[in-house]
Amino acid sequence: MKKKIVVGITGASGTIYGLRLLEALAADPDVETHLVMSPWAKENLAVEATGYTEKEVKALADVVYDDRDLGASIASGSFQHDGMVIVPASMKTVAAIATGLADNLIARAADVTLKERRPLLLVPRESPFNQIHLENMLKLSRMGVEIIPPIPAFYNQPQTIDDLIDHNTMKLLDHLHLKNDYSKRWQGLAAAKQAARREVSHG
């Protein structure tokens, strides 16, 4: 049976993180993806020059919902899934989830995910965080929500922006318990030093 993963993309900067996760899930024949995009997420497709049209993004998912449709299947706890990821997650969405304000489908689906005690992953995109942001994320973390900000790693010798995005995608897939080789993993200090020496000599 396929794993069902719900993906919410909000209007925070970093739409490409959501798109790359959709690409990875679409490439996995054992995954069924359910997608919701906020209105500002759709605007960011053009603003951030992702190269994707809204139609192309929707084609990456198996099922697509309107963010205003609070009668959608994923708005009910009776819809069983294997995890929800909100990537990127705006601070407005984080606040809505933390306070139970299910005023759109992304927030409602997250609220349902929480009450049914299913995995919920948030990829918050804001900098710097103020006290409200931090308190909301701490509150959600204490409820079992996984807070996975897109912080780049450099031990894997990233060469492009794609390398940085792929590393975050790997982390999300790992936390969804989906096997993947989306990015280089830590192989130990000796291997890291050897790779660094190779980069210097080739440079």
Side-chain angles (χ1 to χ4, degrees), residues 70-85:
L70 293 180
S73 59
I74 60 172
S76 170
S78 65
F79 177 83
Q80 295 186 320
H81 64 75
D82 298 280
M84 179 175 183
V85 188

Side-chain angles (χ1 to χ4, degrees), residues 45-111:
L45 288 176
V47 171
E48 298 188 344
T50 62
Y52 272 94
T53 64
E54 182 180 339
K55 183 178 179 180
E56 289 170 335
V57 174
K58 290 179 176 179
L60 292 171
D62 295 288
V63 186
V64 179
Y65 307 89
D66 189 305
D67 192 38
R68 298 165 296 179
D69 183 10
L70 293 180
S73 59
I74 60 172
S76 170
S78 65
F79 177 83
Q80 295 186 320
H81 64 75
D82 298 280
M84 179 175 183
V85 188
I86 302 179
V87 51
S90 68
M91 290 300 104
K92 176 177 183 274
T93 298
V94 171
I97 299 168
T99 56
L101 182 62
D103 60 340
N104 57 47
L105 186 55
I106 292 177
R108 171 58 186 171
D111 186 81

Side-chain angles (χ1 to χ4, degrees), residues 5-182:
I5 304 297
V6 179
V7 177
I9 302 179
T10 74
S13 181
T15 308
I16 189 62
Y17 289 108
L19 303 184
R20 192 61 51 83
L21 177 63
L22 286 174
E23 290 174 344
L25 296 175
D28 190 332
D30 296 321
V31 172
E32 179 181 291
T33 309
H34 295 251
L35 171 66
V36 192
M37 296 180 70
S38 75
W40 279 105
K42 297 172 184 177
E43 292 289 342
N44 277 350
L45 288 176
V47 171
E48 298 188 344
T50 62
Y52 272 94
T53 64
E54 182 180 339
K55 183 178 179 180
E56 289 170 335
V57 174
K58 290 179 176 179
L60 292 171
D62 295 288
V63 186
V64 179
Y65 307 89
D66 189 305
D67 192 38
R68 298 165 296 179
D69 183 10
L70 293 180
S73 59
I74 60 172
S76 170
S78 65
F79 177 83
Q80 295 186 320
H81 64 75
D82 298 280
M84 179 175 183
V85 188
I86 302 179
V87 51
S90 68
M91 290 300 104
K92 176 177 183 274
T93 298
V94 171
I97 299 168
T99 56
L101 182 62
D103 60 340
N104 57 47
L105 186 55
I106 292 177
R108 171 58 186 171
D111 186 81
V112 165
T113 299
L114 274 175
K115 80 181 183 71
E116 299 297 331
R117 301 186 182 276
R118 299 187 181 117
L120 177 59
L121 284 58
L122 298 184
V123 182
R125 261 293 299 118
E126 188 57 271
S127 182
F129 293 120
N130 65 33
Q131 187 173 337
I132 296 171
H133 303 154
L134 294 168
E135 287 178 349
N136 284 335
M137 287 189 286
L138 177 59
K139 181 179 179 180
L140 291 171
S141 178
R142 286 172 171 163
M143 296 180 197
V145 176
E146 298 183 65
I147 310 296
I148 308 175
I151 297 173
F154 295 95
Y155 62 77
N156 54 1
Q157 309 295 321
Q159 301 299 306
T160 66
I161 291 177
D162 278 342
D163 290 338
L164 300 177
I165 296 167
D166 286 345
H167 183 79
N168 190 76
T169 301
M170 177 190 74
K171 284 189 171 294
L172 296 177
L173 294 172
D174 285 350
H175 283 262
L176 290 170
H177 306 292
L178 297 172
K179 292 182 179 180
N180 73 94
D181 55 358
Y182 233 69

